[in-house]
Amino acid sequence: MRRVLIYTLLFPPIAGAYIFAVQRINPFKGELWLALLSVYVTCFFPAVFSAWTHDALRHRGYRSIPSVFVGMITLPAWVYFFLGIRDPRLVAAYGIAGLLGALCCWAVSRPSTGTC
């Protein structure tokens, strides 16, 4: 449960900050709550899938670092198939954002739970 909370709280802002930087969008210009809500709606399911994969790999006795690639795969797949973003450069940017978000969450959740 702690891992899912860490991922759902940290993954969206980290991935959103990277996406805002790539798209050169200033989230502080305009409705801040709307930008934050859109980031959390977009990144919620990839964060949960990454946390579940991290937990599943940890319980199986494997190293849990491959769980960061789940964030790298699910975030661009989510925006490509469900949100209709078809620009290859933007989909690649979402993939990098998912990788960065999942990697940071993996690094934070690893020492707090005492496992790999």
Side-chain angles (χ1 to χ4, degrees):
M1 183 67 179
R2 172 183 272 167
R3 185 170 288 116
V4 173
L5 286 174
I6 290 171
Y7 273 80
T8 56
L9 291 176
L10 291 180
F11 186 97
I14 294 168
Y18 182 79
I19 291 301
F20 287 143
V22 166
Q23 293 179 343
R24 294 185 178 141
I25 297 173
N26 184 0
F28 300 111
K29 189 176 184 181
E31 300 287 337
L32 181 61
W33 67 272
L34 188 60
L36 191 61
L37 181 67
S38 67
V39 164
Y40 269 94
V41 166
T42 304
C43 295
F44 179 76
F45 290 113
V48 170
F49 291 146
S50 295
W52 283 343
T53 307
H54 186 168
D55 196 45
L57 290 178
R58 184 187 62 81
H59 286 304
R60 299 280 185 230
Y62 301 117
R63 303 286 287 170
S64 59
I65 189 67
S67 67
V68 301
F69 296 110
V70 172
M72 185 181 83
I73 294 167
T74 56
L75 186 58
W78 176 257
V79 299
Y80 185 82
F81 291 113
F82 293 110
L83 299 180
I85 296 175
R86 301 284 191 239
D87 183 18
R89 294 177 297 169
L90 199 54
V91 171
Y94 274 96
I96 294 169
L99 179 67
L100 289 175
L103 188 62
C104 291
C105 291
W106 177 83
V108 167
S109 68
R110 200 175 127 221
S112 67
T113 57
T115 60
C116 294

